[in-house]
Amino acid sequence: MKYAAIDIGSNGARMQISSVLNDEGRVRFKKVEYVRFPLRLGHDVFTIGEISPFSEDRMIKLMLAYQLLMELHEVEDYMACSTSAMREAVNGHQVRDNIQQRTGINIQIIDGKKEADLVNNVVIKSLGEGQFLHIDVGGGSTELNVYRDHKQIVSKSFKLGSVRLLEGKETKGSWQKIEEWIRKNVDYTQPIQAVGTGGNINKLFDLSSKLSESSTSLSEIIRMKEYIAQFTLVERINKLQLNPDRADVIVPAGDIYTSAMKWAGAEIMHVPDVGLKDGMLQQLYDRAQARQKNS
């Protein structure tokens, strides 16, 4: 049994095809295909307010490629979601309809709450006891969640992301709103740790010194962010071997992660390497199980 998740973000679009493994009742997803392409829709939307014909044409070509890969892998079901760039584009729904007509792929334009809920479904499984601030930084938005003892207490989506910062198009007062929200919702009488999701924190974590297999410190993330910032864009690509669409946004994204951690008082960051695509795969499996139960 194979499922596919297509995540169309403000920076890149990615598709993961996973097979379902059932090990004595424990369900796991094994990645069999992963393709990421730097569409950079946020460049269009955050500067001119719409998806350009050039970007739409590239999206159609990419979705056709994804459709062929799903056919080759004999995928049983798929889910395709787009986030802040497409939901803010004045022609986002028209582009979605055009893509469906040309490729057959149905893209859901989801809001910040739905995006946070999908990620929450997989992040919560990686948490221990205690209080956590989950920070999910995308190209166009940042989703924050506070958890206590495996329960989601509160969540909020903010129009602040790595591509939006790069383009200088952040909403006025965004940083202040995030700080105020954190200070209002974190219980400072309890210890707190951070959980980070998103491609940029995964890369920062890969480059950083680790405290454990899946954790590092705030000071180490700051050190690595400042180290990368010393290089020019060309040097980041050639010397640090960062992809071009990662090289220019990793420092702005790092600013969001580290600022949120400082405001919350979190010194430890856990990086479970899960995200929206994993939440979609889980939902596809849960739906199939529900259908099977009702049939």
Side-chain angles (χ1 to χ4, degrees):
M1 188 183 299
K2 292 178 185 175
Y3 296 119
I6 299 172
D7 170 12
I8 304 167
S10 301
N11 192 26
R14 55 197 65 77
M15 179 183 72
Q16 180 169 314
I17 297 174
S18 293
S19 58
V20 180
L21 305 179
N22 195 323
D23 180 17
E24 297 179 350
R26 184 189 173 200
V27 175
R28 291 179 295 159
F29 298 96
K30 184 179 187 298
K31 181 167 63 178
V32 295
E33 188 77 67
Y34 179 79
V35 182
R36 183 184 183 278
F37 186 81
L39 280 174
R40 192 56 69 88
L41 296 180
H43 173 73
D44 287 352
V45 178
F46 305 145
T47 53
I48 63 173
E50 63 181 20
I51 296 167
S52 67
F54 174 74
S55 292
E56 180 178 350
D57 184 58
R58 294 209 304 169
M59 285 184 73
I60 290 170
K61 290 175 181 176
L62 183 61
M63 293 306 118
L64 285 169
Y66 285 173
Q67 179 64 45
L68 286 172
L69 280 170
M70 288 194 288
E71 288 180 15
L72 286 168
H73 280 283
E74 298 179 340
V75 166
E76 182 167 318
D77 199 1
Y78 78 94
M79 187 173 181
C81 292
S82 59
T83 53
S84 62
M86 277 192 79
R87 68 178 172 244
E88 290 183 36
V90 295
N91 61 341
H93 286 81
Q94 183 60 57
V95 169
R96 178 199 61 189
D97 294 344
N98 292 345
I99 289 172
Q100 185 166 8
Q101 288 175 4
R102 292 283 300 276
T103 70
I105 292 180
N106 177 31
I107 298 171
Q108 301 177 44
I109 301 177
I110 60 174
D111 61 21
K113 184 181 184 307
K114 175 69 173 177
E115 183 178 355
D117 287 345
L118 284 166
V119 179
N120 168 66
N121 289 339
V122 287
V123 167
I124 202 164
K125 295 178 181 179
S126 68
L127 302 180
E129 298 294 325
Q131 183 178 212
F132 293 86
L133 173 67
H134 172 219
I135 311 161
D136 182 57
V137 178
S141 64
T142 294
E143 277 69 46
L144 298 179
N145 300 271
V146 174
Y147 302 92
R148 293 193 193 103
D149 298 329
H150 303 285
K151 291 182 181 178
Q152 184 188 43
I153 304 301
V154 63
S155 69
K156 179 78 172 176
S157 179
F158 298 88
K159 285 187 178 182
L160 186 72
S162 58
V163 177
R164 205 186 289 270
L165 280 175
L166 185 69
E167 302 290 347
K169 298 297 181 180
E170 66 269 26
T171 305
K172 186 178 180 180
S174 294
W175 289 102
Q176 183 181 351
K177 288 176 182 176
I178 290 178
E179 180 179 4
E180 288 174 352
W181 187 89
I182 290 173
R183 295 195 184 282
K184 177 183 175 182
N185 290 288
V186 165
D187 182 354
Y188 289 95
T189 67
Q190 295 183 33
I192 188 167
Q193 298 181 53
V195 181
T197 54
N200 287 297
I201 194 61
N202 289 337
K203 178 53 68 174
L204 283 167
F205 179 72
D206 288 343
L207 297 171
S208 300
S209 298
K210 317 286 191 295
L211 292 173
S212 72
E213 212 173 80
S214 62
S215 66
T216 188
S217 65
L218 170 60
S219 59
E220 182 60 18
I221 297 170
I222 293 172
R223 184 190 72 80
M224 185 50 60
K225 176 176 68 75
E226 292 177 347
Y227 172 73
I228 294 170
Q230 294 174 0
F231 294 90
T232 66
L233 181 60
V234 172
E235 288 172 337
R236 294 177 198 179
I237 294 168
N238 293 314
K239 290 186 177 181
L240 303 183
Q241 299 181 33
L242 296 175
N243 290 332
D245 68 311
R246 181 73 64 211
D248 58 356
V249 296
I250 192 167
V251 172
D255 289 337
I256 300 175
Y257 287 109
T258 54
S259 295
M261 289 181 73
K262 288 176 183 176
W263 292 328
E267 294 294 331
I268 305 297
M269 167 74 87
H270 298 274
V271 186
D273 194 20
V274 295
L276 181 58
K277 59 183 173 51
D278 303 279
M280 287 191 274
L281 291 168
Q282 184 65 52
Q283 186 165 110
L284 286 167
Y285 175 77
D286 292 342
R287 284 178 181 173
Q289 292 299 106
R291 285 194 299 267
Q292 190 175 16
K293 193 176 292 184
N294 294 329
S295 62

